[in-house]
Structures are given as structure tokens and as C-alpha cells.
Amino acid sequence: MQQNELIPHLFRTEYSKIIAVLCNSFDLTHLEIAEDIASETFLKATEVWGIKGVPENPAAWLYTVAKNKVKDYFKHNSIFEKKIKDAIKSDDIETEKCFEFSNQNITDSQLAMVFAVCNPENSPEAQISLALQILCGFSVEEIANAFLTKAETIKKRLLRARANLRTSNFQIKILSESEIKLRLDTVLKTLYLLFNEGYFSKTNNQLIRKDLCSEAIRLAFILTQNRLTNTTETNALLSLMCFQSSRLDARTSDSGEAILFEEQDKSLWNDELIEKGNYYLITACTGDALSKYHIEAAIAYWHTTPTGKDKWQHILKLYNELILIEHSSVIALNRAFAFAKVYGYQNAIPEVEKLNLDNKNYYHSMLGYLYADTDLSEAISHYNKAIALTKSEIEKQTLGKEIERLRRALLPGI
Amino acid sequence: MKDFLLVFRTDLKTIPKASPEDMQASVQKWMNWISGIAAQSKLVDRGNRLVSTGKVLKSDGIISDGPYTEIKESILGYSLVKAESLEEATELAKGCPVLFIGGNVEIREINVL
């Protein structure tokens, strides 16, 4: 890896580890100090590595520098000294232990950070932004890009979220069994949303999308490494993420246009991720619990299989189950699509129209799609409504092309 | 939005002995219908189906074995939906699989205590 690629890459992976270990040793009120130390560590890395070259083990180098910077803080910062050093006992041997960058301590600290960041007092958007910043090492600009929002908005959102984090009194050091039970739902939900932010992202930037998805997988994987958080639900969520990610390369064209499932080049599907999805789905099914993640993972599983006689029957059944435990307009429309696959487009039209989601672009694009075989002008009218409602330029283009195709079919000879 | 109780009735004697495939198909029909209501955000409670045996206790203290030997319509089950009006609730009941086996759906607004 070239050095200009190496540093951003290391920053992503190591920044969050350093912050997690430091926060686990101080506490959340001193999150900023941890971030300062991590940033200074990377600043030093860019300076020194630029002259002397990259050390053999860059991560270990970073940990050593971070550790030394912490020691400097102990020596020079009297407020810090009083507030924290007392709290974590003052002799050097203890300090040494606290800031140990061992694999175990990194994993434990990261898990604790995940639980700290997924604070239900913050809105889901704020939790995701915070997770991206603190757990994944994203910059404000990168987060703003992913959300298609102004950097200023994200900055404000993060400030508020951090203030809540500081006052929440969440004890990061002792992650108790009861706290884990209380918060695991929120944690899973945040990771689910983080993943979806990447998978259904508004941004056309493929790199950011992939990063979001792989970060969500990495964090979900951390949860499977601890006895208390390795629940069947966690495994179901991880399975869902693996199945969905397996199609990431196939579902957008080089120009960023979405490619419909049926038209995807299946050779671009990632077999390794499909296998992982299978593995975690089997693990998820070892208990009695049936969560929405189980059902969604099962649906995603069917999507990775070739279209057989019963495939859509199974998918429809699963959507029927899903809509009973969680309602959303997206699930309702996906269910209607499965219904169309089983009972025919004609029969599905009333099923969709009953949903009455006149203000949703995907409601109209679905109706356009279903009408396209039988009623061209109705189909075009729905596609036009979808174009008027969507904010995505890519979707506008895709739908525009579809309308053109239908118009040509409507007026042969032109 | 008001809540409505849907009561499904049919003559239990006319229900043919179904094969496992038929039963599976029937379950699928019920699921499709009830999930279709849930998809519209109008399902309050999917409710339950009732076991076909039961007792009837009358005011004179006489207990008999279920009402269905003498009447043609036994309660098969119930669901709870929500709608703006009785008409809308009735609209939701359309497509209920009990209608295709000669049964009926009674739609009643719930008068909350």
C-alpha cells in the first residue's frame, strides 16, 4: 500500500481503537481528551513517517506513541491529573495496564464504546453520526457526504449528541449484564440503520457506501465476540448484512445507476459473504427467538438463491410475517412486490393501491412497474409522479429512460 | 380512527376435511389477507381462531356442548382492525377467506369502556 493510502486506511481502523481504549480507561466526560491524543498521534505519524519512512508495525508504533502521549498528559495537565489519575489509581504500573493495547483490551473497549455511543437519548440519526465519528473514524465531511447533508448540520448534530453522551452517566468501564440487556436492542437497531445508510445510501459515492456497510459488519462482528452480546438476534442481523453486502457490487452500474435485481450480473455476487450469511443465519436459528432481523435475513437468503418455483412463495410468507411485527411503507411495498411475483402483476395492483402512499416516490415507481405490462399510459403517469417526488438524480434518470421506452411502445413507428 | 371487531362465522359442518396441501394453502390465504390489512397500517390485533369444541352456559344453569349443532353459523375466529368508519372497516373485510367457504364476516365498532 502506498503511504498516501496507508495513513487514511490506518486512521480508519486504528483511530477508533485508540479512542475506545482511552475512553475505557478515562471515562466519557473526557472523550475530547481521548480524541485529542488520537489526533496528535496521527499528526506525529504523518510527520515522522514522512521523513523516516513507515515503521514495520505501524499499528504498534501508533499505540506506543498514544501511550506516551497519555503519560505526558498525566505529567503536565494538573486538572487532568486530579480528575482522572485519582480515579484510575496513580502509580505507573496501573496506568500502564489501563492503556494496554492488547487485542483483548481493544475488543472489550470497542464493545463498550458501541454500547456507550448507541444511547437511546440521542435520535437515531445522531447515534449513527456519532457511531461513524467515534467508532469508525469518519470525518464530519464524510458523514455529511453519506447523509447528503451540510457539514454544518452534522457538526451541530454531533455537538448535541456528545453533550448528551457526557451527561448520560453511562458507565463505560463496567458494562454489566443488565445494561447490556437493556441496550442491546438499541445497539442492534443503530447498526442496522448504519448498514442501511450505506446500502440504500442517498450518496452516489460507491466508496462511502461500501465503507458504511463494512463498518456496520465490523461492529456487528464485535458483538458476536462477547458471550453476552452474541445473541441469536445479533447473528441474524450479521447474517442479513452479509447477504445484502454480497450484492453490493452487482446492484449499481459503473455510473451509479441502480440495477434491478433480475438484471444483476450474478457473477458479481460475493460467494464468500453469502457463505458467511448462511453461517450466521444457522447460528441465529439455534434459539427460539424470532426477530425482524431473522425474517429479513431469511428474505435476503432467498434472494441469493436462483429463482425456483417456490422462491417467491417463501419470500411472500416471510414478508407477511414481517409486516405483522413491524410496519413500514417500504416493507409494505416489498411485500406487495412479492405478492405480484406469486399472484401476477394484475392482481397485485389493487394490493398496492390500497396502501395509498401517494406521497412516496417508490409507491409510484412500483405502480408504474406493475402497470407497464397492461396499461402504458397509467404506467407513464405513475413514473412521472415518482420522478416529481424523488430527490435522487440517478433515480430520475433511470425512470426517465423507462418512460422513454414505454412511450416508444405506445407509439410504434416513432 | 376507531377500532372494529371482525367476527368470522361459518357452518362448521360444511368445512370439508382438507388435505395438508389444502390446509397450507388456506393458511397462506389467511396470512395474505391479514398481512394486507397490516400493510395498510390498519391491523390492531390479528386475533385468533377458535377451537371448534366448546360449552354454552345458559341462564337456567344448563350447560350444553356448544351452539353449533343447532345453528348454522359458528364463530371461527376474530380479528381487530382500525378504520375511519364502519364502511371502511367493511371494505377491509372484503377478501377475507371465510367468505370463500360460504361463511360471513360481522363488522362491529368497539365501544370503548
Side-chain angles (χ1 to χ4, degrees), chain A residues 339-378:
Chain A
F339 192 93
K341 285 289 178 189
V342 176
Y343 298 104
Y345 291 5
Q346 281 283 72
N347 293 322
I349 288 170
E351 200 69 15
V352 177
E353 284 174 339
K354 267 191 257 171
L355 301 178
N356 218 354
L357 300 164
D358 230 8
N359 55 349
K360 301 269 195 242
N361 57 310
Y362 40 85
Y363 168 76
H364 290 291
S365 49
M366 170 94 63
L367 280 173
Y369 180 78
L370 295 177
Y371 271 117
D373 282 346
T374 47
D375 188 339
L376 285 176
S377 57
E378 191 68 25

Side-chain angles (χ1 to χ4, degrees), chain A residues 317 320 327 335 343 354-355, chain B residues 28 32 35 38-41:
Chain A
K317 257 187 219 169
N320 280 343
H327 182 275
R335 177 191 167 271
Y343 298 104
K354 267 191 257 171
L355 301 178
Chain B
Q28 179 79 31
N32 283 344
S35 302
Q40 300 169 59
S41 276

Side-chain angles (χ1 to χ4, degrees), chain A residues 202-232:
Chain A
K202 298 173 197 87
T203 173
N204 297 329
N205 186 329
Q206 265 305 92
L207 277 177
I208 290 186
R209 304 176 70 138
K210 273 193 186 170
D211 266 1
L212 289 173
C213 290
S214 62
E215 281 299 317
I217 289 180
R218 181 178 68 83
L219 295 174
F221 180 76
I222 292 177
L223 296 183
T224 64
Q225 298 305 296
N226 183 297
R227 183 180 57 84
L228 292 173
T229 50
N230 187 23
T231 62
T232 56

Side-chain angles (χ1 to χ4, degrees), chain A residues 121-141:
Chain A
E121 273 174 52
N122 283 322
S123 70
E125 293 83 19
Q127 287 182 47
I128 297 175
S129 304
L130 213 51
L132 286 173
Q133 191 186 38
I134 299 175
L135 305 176
C136 314
F138 275 50
S139 70
V140 171
E141 282 71 26

Side-chain angles (χ1 to χ4, degrees), chain A residues 86-103:
Chain A
D86 287 351
I88 58 167
K89 289 177 200 164
S90 53
D91 60 285
D92 273 352
I93 305 151
E94 280 293 326
T95 318
E96 199 71 28
K97 238 186 229 164
C98 277
F99 299 108
E100 200 53 63
F101 284 94
S102 64
N103 279 339

